Amino acid sequence: MFTPIAGRSVIVTGGSRGIGRGIARCFAGAGALVLIVARDEEAARATVAEIRSAGGHASYLLDDLADPASADRLAAAALDRYGAIDVLCCNAGIYPATPLRELTADRIDQVLAVNVRSAMLSVRACLAALERARHGRVILTSSITGPITGYPGWSHYGASKAAQLGFLRTAAIELSRAKVTINAILPGNIFTEGLEDLGQEYLRQMESSIPLGRLGSVEDVAHAALFLASDEAGYITGQTIVVDGGQVLPESLMALDEL
Ligand code: NAP
């Protein structure tokens, strides 16, 4: 039995849609006080309303994580509203496909700013509060793309997701003195609005390459996040959990044909 996390203050960047919404719903369902950070008000408001109508507690902050100053604002908002920061889920991310030949400095900077820099600055901004919590947790949403696999069009995205893990390993050592853990989840293909935008053909192709035979759900990722946030996961830091239905395992597509 896990110690309840009810009443803990949880920030979920990108919590208005997709995986982040799943994480926000899951933590709020466990009784946490959730602060969602995103730019689009309609989606953020809808997610907060959904959580509240299910009896949970959530609020939103509209901000652009590409702006370095947003990190201080999200930490201040959580402290102002909930008086503490127990868990920081750095989940917001973008994955605009661009073939390497067409890659520009601006496109690289855009992806790195949201996927990597904002996570690093958010951890820094929340660190004092996470230390005061005495069980502070940071959970990064990385990806199998970059750390383990590759996919045409996502060289910049893959680099950003691998960079998160480079950050994680040194951060875990530095944060250990503050008794704060930091871990990453590496989702495979999770059915979200962002993934749906990639088209039916992409979704069909991905589904056929997953041993467990289905795309992941946002809850699949959220449950891993909830575990990493628990008191019982307090001795795990600097680690990664792959949540991909076994997608990275087959040596070739023929391995699945053998089944
Ligand atoms: P999504 O459905 O597109 O949602 C992205 C979330 O991030 C939204 O809430 C979005 O809100 C927010 N966001 C994006 N840019 C932002 C910015 N500049 N400032 C503030 N918020 C911003 O994406 P998803 O598929 O759930 O992916 C979430 C995370 O999981 C990402 O880090 C992604 O790399 C990772 N991931 C996803 C998959 C997958 O299969 N879906 C697989 C592996 C890893 P606004 O647009 O309103 O700002």
Side-chain angles (χ1 to χ4, degrees):
M1 191 63 185
F2 289 94
T3 310
I5 63 150
R8 293 201 181 162
S9 166
V10 179
I11 299 172
V12 185
T13 70
S16 62
R17 287 190 284 127
I19 291 175
R21 181 170 59 198
I23 294 173
R25 279 195 307 234
C26 187
F27 277 90
L33 315 173
V34 176
L35 175 66
I36 286 166
V37 186
R39 293 163 303 174
D40 176 52
E41 181 154 30
E42 202 181 325
R45 192 189 298 129
T47 299
V48 165
E50 183 191 1
I51 288 172
R52 288 182 181 167
S53 70
H57 193 104
S59 64
Y60 64 80
L61 171 72
L62 297 180
D63 214 329
D64 184 353
L65 294 161
D67 175 1
S70 64
D72 289 332
R73 289 192 289 265
L74 65 84
L79 286 171
D80 183 49
R81 295 178 198 184
Y82 305 144
I85 303 171
D86 299 289
V87 182
L88 169 64
C89 296
C90 296
N91 165 81
I94 52 172
Y95 37 94
T98 310
L100 185 48
R101 283 177 197 286
E102 294 163 27
L103 212 46
T104 61
D106 282 350
R107 176 48 62 90
I108 296 169
D109 287 349
Q110 178 197 18
V111 167
L112 292 179
V114 179
N115 296 6
V116 188
R117 188 178 67 192
S118 91
M120 296 166 74
L121 292 176
S122 299
V123 172
R124 189 191 70 182
C126 294
L127 183 51
L130 287 166
E131 181 169 13
R132 281 196 299 278
R134 305 187 66 79
H135 47 231
R137 300 277 188 272
V138 179
I139 299 155
L140 308 178
T141 308
S142 175
S143 178
I144 58 169
T145 310
I148 302 177
T149 63
Y151 197 91
W154 279 331
S155 59
H156 55 328
Y157 172 75
S160 77
K161 292 288 151 177
Q164 288 183 324
L165 302 191
F167 166 67
L168 166 85
R169 295 190 177 107
T170 290
I173 300 171
E174 292 195 27
L175 300 187
S176 64
R177 286 292 166 266
K179 306 292 179 234
V180 174
T181 70
I182 176 167
N183 294 286
I185 298 170
L186 278 55
N189 280 266
I190 309 298
F191 189 71
T192 63
E193 296 89 331
L195 206 76
E196 206 175 2
D197 288 346
L198 301 175
Q200 287 305 312
E201 183 49 37
Y202 175 90
L203 297 178
R204 254 196 311 277
Q205 182 207 114
M206 277 302 165
E207 203 166 62
S208 66
S209 68
I210 299 170
L212 283 178
R214 65 170 176 89
L215 296 173
S217 69
V218 295
E219 286 76 21
D220 289 325
V221 180
H223 292 141
L226 194 60
F227 166 66
L228 289 172
S230 70
D231 287 353
E232 285 71 16
Y235 202 53
I236 302 171
T237 195
Q239 301 305 312
T240 58
I241 298 182
V242 175
V243 180
D244 74 340
Q247 189 178 343
V248 300
L249 301 176
E251 289 181 16
S252 74
L253 287 178
M254 263 177 67
L256 294 177
D257 293 342
E258 299 289 322
L259 294 174

